[in-house]
Amino acid sequence: MQSMKKIYAPQNLTALAYESIKSYILREDLDEETKLTEESLSNQLGISKSPVREALNSLHTQGLIRIESRRGAYLRRFTAQEVKDLYDLREALEVYAVGAAIVTPELLSELRESTKRTRKFLKTNDRMKHIEEDTKFHGLIALATGNAELCRVLANIQNQIWLCRRKTYELSASTAPSAHKAILEALEKGSLKEAQSAMRSHIALVRQRLISFMQQKNGLS
């Protein structure tokens, strides 16, 4: 397991600690019982415990970690119902976003290039770059709505969902290029309804596969 890079920049240490720790827990294959201690994190980052404590509190508020009294901080555990709730919310917001996006030649070009990169990263089995590109594709559409609050909420939902999917990447990664292509082609034709339908199908498939996996793992029907 790789350690985090120390923070040297004399900027807002809490914000820097937050970004570093968030990247660490999303990128590393951490176990849900791995304890995230203020002392260990502050030593790895080379800063005091105070900004680390504030960063952990922010990550807890955003649903990425759980803080247990007298025990410390750990990665959040998700139930099948919580995953369903997240995907239901994501579907509602993303279907709205693709219908409200201001479609420009620049947006279409960016989405086209993103789809090509997603296919390339899947082919080379570059897991992290594939996930980042997948997130970027959806982020570009949200950004095109001009709604900053929508972008913020969707980014947080994406982070929580990725935390759920870290160990089930293979379940749906192969479906992303074709799903993104379907959304792109609908936007190129100017059919927002078709784009919304493609987006809904894309998210529903991933949700169904992940929930089925969790239910089978836990012995549920």
Side-chain angles (χ1 to χ4, degrees):
M1 183 186 301
Q2 296 181 349
S3 61
M4 292 178 287
K5 294 181 180 180
K6 287 190 176 182
I7 293 175
Y8 296 103
Q11 301 174 26
N12 186 323
L13 289 181
T14 297
L16 289 169
Y18 166 82
E19 290 298 333
S20 295
I21 297 171
K22 183 176 76 171
S23 177
Y24 175 62
I25 65 177
L26 292 177
R27 285 176 175 270
E28 295 296 330
D29 192 22
L30 301 181
D31 188 89
E32 291 172 343
E33 293 305 317
T34 300
K35 191 172 184 179
L36 302 169
T37 67
E38 293 176 12
E39 182 175 6
S40 173
L41 294 171
S42 63
N43 286 339
Q44 289 186 66
L45 294 171
I47 59 176
S48 67
K49 293 181 182 179
S50 180
V52 168
R53 185 180 307 117
E54 292 180 35
L56 289 174
N57 285 333
S58 294
L59 290 165
H60 172 68
T61 300
Q62 294 184 0
L64 294 177
I65 66 172
R66 65 187 198 275
I67 297 178
E68 300 183 4
S69 179
R70 302 179 183 276
R71 288 197 64 209
Y74 303 83
L75 293 190
R76 178 180 170 188
R77 286 197 190 96
F78 292 87
T79 65
Q81 183 60 48
E82 287 172 331
V83 170
K84 181 181 181 303
D85 290 346
L86 275 173
Y87 270 93
D88 285 350
L89 180 57
R90 180 189 173 192
E91 179 183 315
L93 293 176
E94 295 235 40
V95 169
Y96 165 78
V98 80
I102 305 301
V103 181
T104 63
E106 290 75 22
L107 173 63
L108 293 176
S109 177
E110 289 181 308
L111 293 177
R112 200 173 296 118
E113 291 304 312
S114 176
T115 301
K116 290 178 183 177
R117 288 192 296 268
T118 299
R119 188 176 292 107
K120 181 184 74 172
F121 295 143
L122 179 66
K123 191 173 183 179
T124 58
N125 199 30
D126 194 327
R127 175 172 161 171
M128 277 313 305
K129 285 187 177 180
H130 180 277
I131 289 294
E132 288 170 356
E133 196 60 51
D134 185 15
T135 302
K136 181 178 181 180
F137 179 91
H138 291 275
L140 284 168
I141 293 174
L143 194 62
T145 67
N147 189 325
E149 187 64 13
L150 175 68
C151 294
R152 184 191 67 79
V153 173
L154 270 176
N156 180 243
I157 291 173
Q158 285 275 29
N159 285 335
Q160 292 183 65
I161 283 174
W162 172 231
L163 200 57
C164 299
R165 290 182 59 201
R166 288 174 313 134
K167 297 180 180 179
T168 58
Y169 168 78
E170 290 77 13
L171 285 178
S172 56
S174 63
T175 67
S178 60
H180 290 185
K181 182 181 178 183
I183 295 167
L184 170 61
E185 288 179 344
L187 291 175
E188 287 175 327
K189 290 192 299 183
S191 177
L192 295 182
K193 286 188 177 180
E194 190 176 328
Q196 287 180 309
S197 178
M199 179 69 79
R200 185 177 289 109
S201 297
H202 174 36
I203 296 173
L205 175 62
V206 180
R207 173 179 54 211
Q208 183 269 324
R209 289 188 176 184
L210 181 55
I211 292 176
S212 294
F213 172 83
M214 293 180 70
Q215 290 175 333
Q216 290 171 11
K217 183 179 178 182
N218 295 323
L220 302 174
S221 58

